[in-house]
Amino acid sequence: MVTSSQDSERRARHASINRGRRRADEPNEDFSRGFDTLGELALAGVQVSARATDLATGRVLFSVDDHVVMPTASIGKVLLLVEVASRLGHASPEAFTVLDRAPRDAVGDSGIWQHLQTPSLPMADLAAMVGATSDNLATNVLIRHIGLEAVRARTEALGLTRTALLDLVRDHRGPDDAPQLSIGSAKELTWLFASLARGEIVSSEVSQRVVGWLSLNSDLSMVAAAFGLDPLAHRMPDHNLLLMNKTGTDGGVRSEVGVLRGPRASVAYAVSMYFADTKLASRLAVLDGMRQVGADLLEYVH
């Protein structure tokens, strides 16, 4: 249930960025900087997929192979969060469910639960960890409790056909495992985040819960690196900017989806890169390209 204090916080977060537009406030629609950089990356052998839409009108601002299915690493965890949120309604007993971690859930890399002493946490806390740090251990415990089949059913119910969470998080993928943690198309992912922002995924309550978890995300190393926000504290408007996003990182994969609200406009965006991560220079070029797209988005909304 959304309490009055939560509602007040949400209104405060959005109040300063929902001003009416004046003619002088019309956003700059020149995305040439990002396009040029993405084109250079594609010529260098990087597989690129990207899309951005105006949140208010749905108008496509730019797109690059946005129908192509790409590996998206941890971005598929958003589908898990949607299913978790749908089970945490005020009348559901699962709202109070505490889950234990087990040896079979163990996995390294992102997240903090693996470094904590507590062996059990409520479902909502685990979801918050996934939103804030893309916590792999929390992800696996939630998947074990909810089941991948339930996440797949939810994904299909949302009408997504090119986006999916395929597997548990694994330190190593064998021949019998799914080759990727998740896949997605920029077109579908942009729609998903725009719909979350508008409160249209499952219900307004479910959407708000997922948005709240995603607004904790501390990874602003890709597209969002251009926005100048505090990676550890950006749930309230900062210079009239408000962000929710999810990133995905794996060997040769950098992907980000988000919604950026500003004083002049708001956008939903998705950028995915698939590349040969054999040299640091290649990775840095990909990250710089994502920042260039972010700079164009910032200029559009601010």
Side-chain angles (χ1 to χ4, degrees), residues 49-70:
S49 180
R51 181 181 177 93
T53 61
D54 186 286
L55 190 62
T57 66
R59 186 164 60 92
V60 178
L61 303 174
F62 70 83
S63 65
V64 178
D65 288 340
D66 60 7
H67 64 288
V68 175
V69 176
M70 299 274 283

Side-chain angles (χ1 to χ4, degrees), residues 282-299:
S282 300
R283 182 188 300 176
L284 294 177
V286 163
L287 291 173
D288 182 64
M290 298 181 85
R291 280 193 295 270
Q292 291 300 325
V293 173
D296 283 346
L297 294 173
L298 177 63
E299 190 170 350

Side-chain angles (χ1 to χ4, degrees), residues 33-49:
R33 175 172 41 196
F35 264 121
D36 290 346
T37 305
L38 295 181
E40 292 171 3
L41 289 169
L43 289 173
V46 178
Q47 187 172 349
V48 177
S49 180

Side-chain angles (χ1 to χ4, degrees), residues 60-282:
V60 178
L61 303 174
F62 70 83
S63 65
V64 178
D65 288 340
D66 60 7
H67 64 288
V68 175
V69 176
M70 299 274 283
T72 52
S74 291
I75 285 177
K77 295 173 184 177
V78 176
L79 301 170
L80 172 65
L81 293 182
V82 171
E83 180 59 21
V84 172
S86 71
R87 299 187 181 202
L88 293 181
H90 66 277
S92 170
E94 290 204 72
F96 305 100
T97 299
V98 174
L99 302 180
D100 300 323
R101 63 190 184 191
R104 63 183 180 276
D105 303 316
V107 65
D109 294 333
S110 63
I112 61 171
W113 195 15
Q114 61 185 308
H115 305 295
L116 303 181
Q117 294 299 309
T118 182
S120 307
L121 285 168
M123 283 181 63
D125 289 359
L126 297 182
M129 283 184 164
V130 174
T133 68
S134 199
D135 197 293
N136 286 337
L137 177 55
T139 297
N140 281 356
V141 172
L142 287 171
I143 289 175
R144 175 164 55 81
H145 177 72
I146 289 196
L148 278 173
E149 285 304 319
V151 178
R152 288 170 184 151
R154 177 68 63 183
T155 303
E156 292 174 4
L158 294 174
L160 300 173
T161 61
R162 294 174 173 265
T163 300
L165 178 64
L166 300 176
D167 198 6
L168 299 164
V169 185
R170 301 181 188 274
D171 288 325
H172 305 285
R173 296 199 168 275
D176 296 328
D177 301 324
Q180 304 287 343
L181 175 62
S182 77
I183 56 173
S185 75
K187 183 175 182 179
E188 287 193 343
L189 288 168
T190 303
W191 172 86
L192 175 63
F193 270 62
S195 299
L196 281 169
R198 291 193 290 261
E200 298 170 351
I201 295 299
V202 183
S203 69
S204 176
E205 179 185 4
V206 168
S207 295
Q208 289 166 8
R209 188 173 284 119
V210 176
V211 168
W213 292 328
L214 294 175
S215 69
L216 298 169
N217 185 26
S218 58
D219 184 7
L220 307 187
S221 64
M222 302 183 202
V223 177
F227 304 155
L229 299 173
D230 183 344
L232 301 179
H234 53 268
R235 298 196 75 193
M236 300 292 287
D238 185 356
H239 289 290
N240 290 325
L241 295 174
L242 188 62
L243 172 72
M244 72 151 174
N245 74 322
K246 183 74 186 77
T247 56
T249 300
D250 203 350
V253 176
R254 292 296 184 275
S255 189
E256 179 173 339
V257 191
V259 168
L260 178 67
R261 298 178 184 269
R264 293 192 299 183
S266 299
V267 294
Y269 65 88
V271 181
S272 292
M273 306 278 197
Y274 192 37
F275 60 103
D277 194 7
T278 56
K279 298 179 181 178
L280 179 59
S282 300

